[in-house]
mmCIF file of all heavy atoms in Angstrom:
data_model
loop_
_atom_site.group_PDB
_atom_site.id
_atom_site.type_symbol
_atom_site.label_atom_id
_atom_site.label_comp_id
_atom_site.label_asym_id
_atom_site.label_seq_id
_atom_site.Cartn_x
_atom_site.Cartn_y
_atom_site.Cartn_z
ATOM 1 N N VAL A 6 -12.196 -25.501 -29.377
ATOM 2 C CA VAL A 6 -13.254 -25.284 -28.399
ATOM 3 C C VAL A 6 -14.507 -25.974 -28.927
ATOM 4 O O VAL A 6 -14.986 -25.629 -30.001
ATOM 5 C CB VAL A 6 -13.534 -23.777 -28.187
ATOM 6 C CG1 VAL A 6 -14.580 -23.580 -27.107
ATOM 7 C CG2 VAL A 6 -12.257 -23.041 -27.822
ATOM 8 N N GLY A 16 -16.310 -32.809 -32.308
ATOM 9 C CA GLY A 16 -14.941 -32.638 -31.813
ATOM 10 C C GLY A 16 -14.295 -33.968 -31.495
ATOM 11 O O GLY A 16 -13.144 -34.227 -31.874
ATOM 12 N N GLU A 55 2.734 -37.686 -19.115
ATOM 13 C CA GLU A 55 3.918 -38.440 -18.679
ATOM 14 C C GLU A 55 3.930 -39.853 -19.241
ATOM 15 O O GLU A 55 4.948 -40.332 -19.718
ATOM 16 C CB GLU A 55 4.000 -38.559 -17.149
ATOM 17 C CG GLU A 55 4.005 -37.252 -16.390
ATOM 18 C CD GLU A 55 2.583 -36.854 -16.008
ATOM 19 O OE1 GLU A 55 1.875 -37.706 -15.454
ATOM 20 O OE2 GLU A 55 2.201 -35.719 -16.293
ATOM 21 N N ALA A 63 -8.036 -29.407 -26.202
ATOM 22 C CA ALA A 63 -9.433 -29.047 -26.424
ATOM 23 C C ALA A 63 -10.083 -28.562 -25.154
ATOM 24 O O ALA A 63 -9.717 -28.962 -24.055
ATOM 25 C CB ALA A 63 -10.201 -30.252 -26.949
ATOM 26 N N TYR A 108 -26.552 -16.839 -25.252
ATOM 27 C CA TYR A 108 -25.747 -15.631 -25.412
ATOM 28 C C TYR A 108 -25.851 -14.691 -24.225
ATOM 29 O O TYR A 108 -24.842 -14.198 -23.724
ATOM 30 C CB TYR A 108 -26.220 -14.903 -26.685
ATOM 31 C CG TYR A 108 -25.381 -13.722 -27.071
ATOM 32 C CD1 TYR A 108 -24.210 -13.890 -27.806
ATOM 33 C CD2 TYR A 108 -25.763 -12.422 -26.728
ATOM 34 C CE1 TYR A 108 -23.439 -12.797 -28.182
ATOM 35 C CE2 TYR A 108 -24.988 -11.340 -27.095
ATOM 36 C CZ TYR A 108 -23.834 -11.524 -27.828
ATOM 37 O OH TYR A 108 -23.081 -10.444 -28.194
ATOM 38 N N SER A 132 3.954 -22.803 -29.050
ATOM 39 C CA SER A 132 3.664 -21.704 -29.970
ATOM 40 C C SER A 132 2.219 -21.858 -30.430
ATOM 41 O O SER A 132 1.833 -22.805 -31.090
ATOM 42 C CB SER A 132 4.623 -21.715 -31.152
ATOM 43 O OG SER A 132 4.494 -22.907 -31.861
ATOM 44 N N SER A 165 -4.744 -13.576 -32.422
ATOM 45 C CA SER A 165 -4.783 -14.976 -32.839
ATOM 46 C C SER A 165 -5.915 -15.179 -33.812
ATOM 47 O O SER A 165 -6.888 -14.443 -33.816
ATOM 48 C CB SER A 165 -5.008 -15.888 -31.646
ATOM 49 O OG SER A 165 -4.082 -15.619 -30.666
ATOM 50 N N LEU A 166 -5.768 -16.244 -34.575
ATOM 51 C CA LEU A 166 -6.798 -16.507 -35.563
ATOM 52 C C LEU A 166 -7.907 -17.345 -34.972
ATOM 53 O O LEU A 166 -7.675 -18.205 -34.146
ATOM 54 C CB LEU A 166 -6.174 -17.242 -36.742
ATOM 55 C CG LEU A 166 -5.153 -16.357 -37.426
ATOM 56 C CD1 LEU A 166 -4.182 -17.172 -38.222
ATOM 57 C CD2 LEU A 166 -5.874 -15.356 -38.313
ATOM 58 N N THR A 177 -35.200 -29.367 -43.475
ATOM 59 C CA THR A 177 -36.525 -29.673 -42.943
ATOM 60 C C THR A 177 -36.530 -29.833 -41.455
ATOM 61 O O THR A 177 -37.208 -30.660 -40.924
ATOM 62 C CB THR A 177 -37.087 -30.984 -43.532
ATOM 63 O OG1 THR A 177 -36.226 -31.466 -44.499
ATOM 64 C CG2 THR A 177 -38.456 -30.759 -44.084
ATOM 65 N N SER A 225 -23.629 -40.465 -35.907
ATOM 66 C CA SER A 225 -22.261 -40.924 -35.774
ATOM 67 C C SER A 225 -21.617 -41.028 -37.159
ATOM 68 O O SER A 225 -20.476 -40.589 -37.364
ATOM 69 C CB SER A 225 -22.283 -42.268 -35.061
ATOM 70 O OG SER A 225 -21.017 -42.748 -34.896
ATOM 71 N N LEU A 231 -17.634 -35.923 -41.569
ATOM 72 C CA LEU A 231 -17.221 -34.550 -41.327
ATOM 73 C C LEU A 231 -15.820 -34.496 -40.748
ATOM 74 O O LEU A 231 -14.976 -33.712 -41.174
ATOM 75 C CB LEU A 231 -18.220 -33.933 -40.347
ATOM 76 C CG LEU A 231 -18.014 -32.487 -40.004
ATOM 77 C CD1 LEU A 231 -17.981 -31.687 -41.274
ATOM 78 C CD2 LEU A 231 -19.164 -32.010 -39.146
ATOM 79 N N ARG A 282 2.721 -37.490 -47.536
ATOM 80 C CA ARG A 282 2.162 -38.447 -46.623
ATOM 81 C C ARG A 282 0.639 -38.502 -46.835
ATOM 82 O O ARG A 282 -0.047 -37.512 -46.720
ATOM 83 C CB ARG A 282 2.461 -37.970 -45.230
ATOM 84 C CG ARG A 282 2.591 -38.911 -44.073
ATOM 85 C CD ARG A 282 1.652 -40.024 -43.948
ATOM 86 N NE ARG A 282 1.701 -40.520 -42.581
ATOM 87 C CZ ARG A 282 0.659 -40.807 -41.882
ATOM 88 N NH1 ARG A 282 -0.534 -40.635 -42.397
ATOM 89 N NH2 ARG A 282 0.785 -41.238 -40.664
ATOM 90 N N MET A 314 -41.014 -15.955 -40.483
ATOM 91 C CA MET A 314 -41.429 -16.263 -39.119
ATOM 92 C C MET A 314 -41.416 -14.985 -38.277
ATOM 93 O O MET A 314 -42.309 -14.750 -37.476
ATOM 94 C CB MET A 314 -40.482 -17.304 -38.520
ATOM 95 C CG MET A 314 -41.052 -17.989 -37.311
ATOM 96 S SD MET A 314 -39.921 -19.165 -36.589
ATOM 97 C CE MET A 314 -40.431 -20.645 -37.377
ATOM 98 N N LYS A 318 -44.156 -12.607 -35.856
ATOM 99 C CA LYS A 318 -43.753 -12.458 -34.458
ATOM 100 C C LYS A 318 -43.776 -13.768 -33.683
ATOM 101 O O LYS A 318 -43.758 -13.775 -32.454
ATOM 102 C CB LYS A 318 -44.655 -11.441 -33.712
ATOM 103 C CG LYS A 318 -44.694 -10.071 -34.324
ATOM 104 C CD LYS A 318 -43.511 -9.233 -33.875
ATOM 105 C CE LYS A 318 -43.501 -7.869 -34.535
ATOM 106 N NZ LYS A 318 -42.734 -7.858 -35.788
ATOM 107 N N ALA A 319 -43.819 -14.879 -34.370
ATOM 108 C CA ALA A 319 -43.858 -16.158 -33.671
ATOM 109 C C ALA A 319 -42.567 -16.392 -32.910
ATOM 110 O O ALA A 319 -41.486 -16.148 -33.421
ATOM 111 C CB ALA A 319 -44.081 -17.283 -34.670
ATOM 112 N N VAL A 345 -25.324 -11.349 -48.309
ATOM 113 C CA VAL A 345 -25.918 -11.960 -49.501
ATOM 114 C C VAL A 345 -25.729 -11.045 -50.698
ATOM 115 O O VAL A 345 -25.307 -11.468 -51.771
ATOM 116 C CB VAL A 345 -27.422 -12.234 -49.282
ATOM 117 C CG1 VAL A 345 -28.072 -12.681 -50.582
ATOM 118 C CG2 VAL A 345 -27.623 -13.296 -48.221
#
Side-chain angles (χ1 to χ4, degrees):
Chain A
V6 183
E55 303 92 50
Y108 187 83
S132 61
S165 307
L166 296 159
T177 355
S225 180
L231 183 55
R282 207 318 198 135
M314 198 182 266
K318 303 277 177 269
V345 172

